[in-house]
C-alpha cells in the first residue's frame, strides 16, 4: 500500500472511533506524540510514589499504614503498565528511564511539592488523585489501544486512592480544631498546584491541537480544569473548609464556578526543574534505580535460565 492509502486507513479508524494497535500503520508524529505523553505519564506515576512513600513510616495507625502502602504500590504498578504501553511504540524502557534520570523528560509538576503533614497525604489522595481521574477517564477512550486498556485498570485504582484521601480529610476536618486547621492548611497549599496538573490554558497548549485531532485527548486542559473545580467545591463545602480563592463564585450562565487561574509563572518554573523538590525527586529516582540494579540483573538471569530449561525440554 502507498503511504496515502495507509493514512486513509488510519484516518478512517479514528473517524469510526476504533483503536489504533501497535502493528497498525500510524503517522510518525502520532507515534512520537504518544511516546511523549505516555512516558511522561509513566514517569509521573513513579515519581508520584516519593511524596507519599515519605509518610509510610509515619502513618498514624496500622490501618492507615497498610492502606497507604497499597496505594503507593499501585502507583508503581501504573508506571509498569504505562512503560509497557510506551514500549509497544518501539522505544526501550532504558531509554525512557534514562530521559527521566537525566532530567530530559518531564513528569507531572505536582510531585515537585513537599508533603509536610499527614493532612497532605489526605490532600494528595483527594485532590491529586481526583484531578488525575478527571483527566484519565477520557484516556480510557484514547485512540491508542494499549494506552486505553491500561487506563481502564488505572482509573479503577485511582478511584480507591481518591477515597483514601477523602477519608483522611474527613477525619481531620471533623476532628479537633487543630486537626481541622491542618486540613485547611493542606487544602491551601495543594489547591493551585492541583489546578496546574491539567496543563497550561488552552491558548498556550501547543500539543492540544494534534492531541484532539488524533483523539489522544478527548477534552481540553481548560474543560477538565473547570470540571474538576465544579466537582470539588461541593466536597470542600461538605468538609466545612474554604477554597483559597476569593474569586470563586457560582456562575449560573455557564453552570460552573468562576475561579482564579493558578500562577502560570510558577508552573513554568516547576516544569523547568526549579520547583521546591525537583532536585530531591531526581536524586531519589537515580538512587533507587542504581540500588535496584541487582534486582534487574537477577530477573534477567532467571529469565535466561528458564528459557534454557524450556529450550532443552
Ligand atoms: N506537569 O501542550 P500541553 C497521577 C507540559 S498521574 C508537567 O498542554 P499536553 C497519578 C507538557 O508536557 C499525573 N508538565 O501538553 C498519581 C508540554 O511539554 P512538552 C500525570 C506539564 O500533553 C496520583 C507543555 O507543558 N497525568 O497524578 C504539565 O497536551 C498520586 C505544554 O502542555 C498524566 O500524565 C504538568 N502538569 O497536556 C500518582 C495524564 N502540564 O511535552 C501518584 C496524561 C503540561 O511539549 C500519586 N497526560 N505540561 O515538552 C495528559 O493528559 C497531558 O499530557 C497533560 C498535558 C494534560 C498533562
Amino acid at each position: 500500500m502507498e503511504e496515502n492509502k495507509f493514512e486513509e486507513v488510519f484516518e478512517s479508524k479514528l473517524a469510526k472511533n476504533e483503536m489504533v494497535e501497535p502493528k497498525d500503520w500510524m503517522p510518525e508524529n502520532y507515534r512520537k506524540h504518544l511516546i511523549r505523553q505516555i512516558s511522561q505519564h509513566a514517569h509521573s506515576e513513579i515519581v508520584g510514589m516519593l511524596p507519599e512513600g515519605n509518610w509510610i513510616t509515619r502513618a498514624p495507625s496500622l490501618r492507615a499504614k497498610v492502606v497507604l502502602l497499597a496505594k503507593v504500590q499501585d502507583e508503581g504498578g501504573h508506571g509498569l503498565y504505562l512503560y509497557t504501553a510506551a514500549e509497544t511504540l518501539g522505544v526501550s524502557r532504558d531509554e525512557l528511564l534514562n530521559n527521566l534520570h537525566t532530567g530530559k523528560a518531564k513528569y507531572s509538576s505536582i510531585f515537585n511539592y513537599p508533603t509536610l503533614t499527614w493532612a497532605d497525604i489526605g490532600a494528595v489522595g483527594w485532590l491529586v488523585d481526583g484531578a488525575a481521574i478527571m483527566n484519565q477517564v477520557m484516556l480510557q477512550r484514547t485512540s491508542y489501544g494499549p494506552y486505553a486498556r491500561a487506563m481502564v485498570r488505572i482509573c479503577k485504582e485511582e478511584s480507591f486512592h481518591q477515597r483514601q484521601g477523602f477519608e483522611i480529610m474527613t477525619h481531620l476536618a471533623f476532628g479537633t480544631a487543630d486537626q481541622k486547621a491542618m486540613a485547611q492548611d493542606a487544602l491551601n497549599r495543594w489547591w493551585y498546584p492541583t489546578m496546574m496538573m491539567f496543563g497550561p490554558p488552552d491558548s498556550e497548549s501547543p500539543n492540544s491541537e494534534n492531541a484532539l485531532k488524533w483523539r489522544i485527548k478527548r477534552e481540553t486542559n481548560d474543560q477538565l480544569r473547570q470540571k474538576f473545580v465544579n466537582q470539588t467545591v461541593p466536597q470542600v463545602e461538605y468538609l466545612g473548609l474554604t477554597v483559597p480563592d476569593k474569586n470563586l463564585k457560582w456562575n449560573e450562565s455557564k453552570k460552573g464556578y468562576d475561579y482564579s487561574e493558578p500562577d502560570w509563572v510558577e508552573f513554568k518554573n516547576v516544569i523547568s526543574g526549579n520547583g521546591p523538590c525537583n532536585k530531591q525527586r531526581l536524586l531519589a529516582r537515580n538512587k533507587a534505580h542504581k540500588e535496584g540494579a541487582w534486582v534487574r540483573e537477577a530477573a534477567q538471569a532467571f529469565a535466561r535460565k528458564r528459557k534454557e530449561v524450556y529450550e532443552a525440554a
Side-chain angles (χ1 to χ4, degrees), residues 36 40 75 106-107 109 135 158 199 205-207 217 221:
R36 177 192 67 84
Q40 285 181 6
E75 311 296 2
K106 290 193 173 72
Y107 57 85
S109 48
N135 166 280
E158 299 288 25
S205 163
N207 299 299
K217 274 182 175 176
N221 300 358

Side-chain angles (χ1 to χ4, degrees), residues 205-265:
S205 163
N207 299 299
S208 278
E209 192 184 336
N210 277 337
L212 291 165
K213 180 179 85 182
W214 286 323
R215 290 204 301 101
I216 293 171
K217 274 182 175 176
R218 299 273 192 153
E219 288 173 89
T220 71
N221 300 358
D222 286 332
Q223 283 167 344
L224 291 167
R225 196 168 8 253
Q226 179 73 61
K227 271 174 124 174
F228 172 78
V229 175
N230 294 351
Q231 176 186 283
T232 311
V233 171
Q235 296 170 0
V236 177
E237 286 167 355
Y238 169 81
L239 293 171
L241 302 176
T242 311
V243 176
D245 178 359
K246 288 197 175 63
N247 298 318
L248 188 85
K249 195 164 168 272
W250 178 255
N251 178 334
E252 186 55 32
S253 62
K254 72 172 187 188
K255 298 263 180 264
Y257 288 91
D258 289 333
Y259 58 85
S260 304
E261 289 288 321
D263 179 349
W264 293 116
V265 175

Side-chain angles (χ1 to χ4, degrees), residues 54-197:
N54 180 34
W55 274 90
I56 291 171
T57 54
R58 291 178 286 166
S61 70
L62 183 59
R63 179 179 178 276
K65 190 192 287 271
V66 169
V67 174
L68 182 60
L69 191 60
K71 178 187 191 295
V72 174
Q73 282 177 338
D74 281 353
E75 311 296 2
H78 298 175
L80 193 65
Y81 317 149
L82 291 166
Y83 283 122
T84 310
E87 282 177 304
T88 64
L89 291 156
V91 63
S92 76
R93 195 175 309 191
D94 282 348
E95 184 183 336
L96 297 179
L97 285 173
N98 191 47
N99 289 344
L100 170 66
H101 296 150
T102 53
K104 232 170 100 187
K106 290 193 173 72
Y107 57 85
S108 184
S109 48
I110 193 75
F111 302 117
N112 293 306
Y113 291 85
T115 41
L116 303 177
T117 69
W118 176 248
D120 288 23
I121 298 303
V124 169
W126 169 41
L127 298 175
V128 175
D129 283 278
I133 300 169
M134 189 55 81
N135 166 280
Q136 291 171 8
V137 162
M138 69 164 177
L139 295 176
Q140 294 176 103
R141 293 178 296 121
T142 193
S143 57
Y144 187 56
Y147 192 21
R149 288 188 288 275
M151 291 318 303
V152 172
R153 179 156 172 186
I154 292 178
C155 280
K156 286 194 180 130
E157 292 174 350
E158 299 288 25
S159 301
F160 151 66
H161 298 170
Q162 202 261 354
R163 276 178 226 157
Q164 171 261 1
F166 194 68
E167 186 190 51
I168 296 175
M169 293 306 279
T170 309
H171 281 147
L172 295 174
F174 294 106
T176 64
D178 280 352
Q179 285 175 319
K180 186 168 180 183
M182 237 170 98
Q184 181 65 53
D185 172 60
L187 172 59
N188 292 348
R189 283 180 293 106
W190 288 92
W191 178 258
Y192 287 105
T194 303
M195 301 272 277
M196 293 173 190
M197 285 177 70

Side-chain angles (χ1 to χ4, degrees), residues 273-292:
N274 301 316
C277 300
N278 296 58
K279 292 188 179 60
Q280 189 182 327
R281 299 292 183 239
L282 277 195
L283 276 174
R285 277 305 324 154
N286 273 290
K287 183 169 177 280
H289 191 71
K290 206 167 148 213
E291 289 175 357

